[in-house]
Every structure is written in structure tokens, then in C-alpha cells.
Amino acid sequence: QVQLVESGGGLVQAGGSLRLSCAASGNIISIFTMGWYRQAPGKQRELLAFIPTGGYPNYADFVKGRFTISRDNAKNTIYLQMNSLKPEDTAVYYCNSDIVYYDGTRRRRQVHWGQGTQVTVSS
């Protein structure tokens, strides 16, 4: 099967930076897109940024200029560099990807989610 594993979350002071990573593994045939979401307690999960294969990086307006998404296709990995962090950025950050994979019988296409990584911004 396919797994997405996020890492890099933690506690940081306002104005600080963190870099998140997400690695996809398994019997992957191709990846259509990879991106980052976050969800704060009591709030809807919201899209932060994504990179379609063969396309341009896309950002939510509220993170433009602060967050940068990048992708290493050879490693099936994406990153989220977060600068100038604010307390309102506190949330669980999730990796998301639309993946074509081999399930042991045939090709499948399915959206996958990682387990999430906690980001807490103080002050």
C-alpha cells in the first residue's frame, strides 16, 4: 500500500521558522499532485499549498510570502518551509497526495493523507 509520513513539527516562538517534510512510500506508479493542509481545533481543514505534477506551486492567500512548498520527485517527497510564524498558525499539519499505485492486483488511484504533525507557535 501507500503511506504518507509527515515530520518536522514542533514548538516555535512567533516569528520563527519550521520546515515540514512528507515522504510517500509504497508501490507508487505515479503522483498527480502533492500538497499541505492544516486543521486547528474546532476548525475546518484548510488547504495551504500544493504542486500538481507538471504544474506550478499554488498557495492560499493567507500564507503567500511566508510559506514555500517544494517537491523532490525522485524521492516522492514534499517540503513546507514556514517563516514568520504566527500563533494563528498553530494546527496539525497534514500531507495530502493523489496517487496511482499497484495494490497487488491492479492499478488504483486514490487520495491519501498522512497522520499529521503538530505545529505550535507561542507568543
Side-chain angles (χ1 to χ4, degrees):
Q1 285 296 102
V2 173
Q3 292 81 225
L4 298 176
V5 179
E6 305 99 331
S7 62
L11 176 64
V12 65
Q13 292 186 346
S17 298
L18 286 173
R19 179 182 291 173
L20 308 182
S21 64
C22 170
S25 62
N27 297 320
I28 296 169
I29 297 172
S30 63
I31 296 176
F32 281 92
T33 188
M34 298 188 76
W36 289 98
Y37 291 70
R38 72 184 183 190
Q39 187 167 21
K43 299 294 184 69
Q44 294 277 337
R45 189 170 298 187
E46 58 186 357
L47 175 66
L48 302 173
F50 67 97
I51 303 180
T53 299
Y56 301 106
N58 296 267
Y59 298 93
D61 288 341
F62 56 87
V63 303
K64 286 181 178 178
R66 297 193 299 125
F67 292 8
T68 302
I69 188 170
S70 59
R71 180 171 174 176
D72 186 336
N73 291 327
K75 297 181 179 180
N76 290 328
T77 298
I78 58 168
Y79 306 90
L80 187 67
Q81 179 66 45
M82 304 187 293
N83 299 325
S84 301
L85 284 164
K86 306 172 182 179
E88 52 262 45
D89 294 320
T90 296
V92 177
Y93 284 67
Y94 295 93
C95 181
N96 171 276
S97 187
D98 187 358
I99 299 173
V100 179
Y101 65 100
Y102 183 69
D103 72 353
T105 302
R106 66 180 183 90
R107 297 156 62 101
R108 300 278 187 179
R109 180 177 176 179
Q110 185 172 303
V111 174
H112 291 78
W113 292 92
Q115 82 287 348
T117 185
Q118 177 71 46
V119 171
T120 302
V121 184
S122 65
S123 297

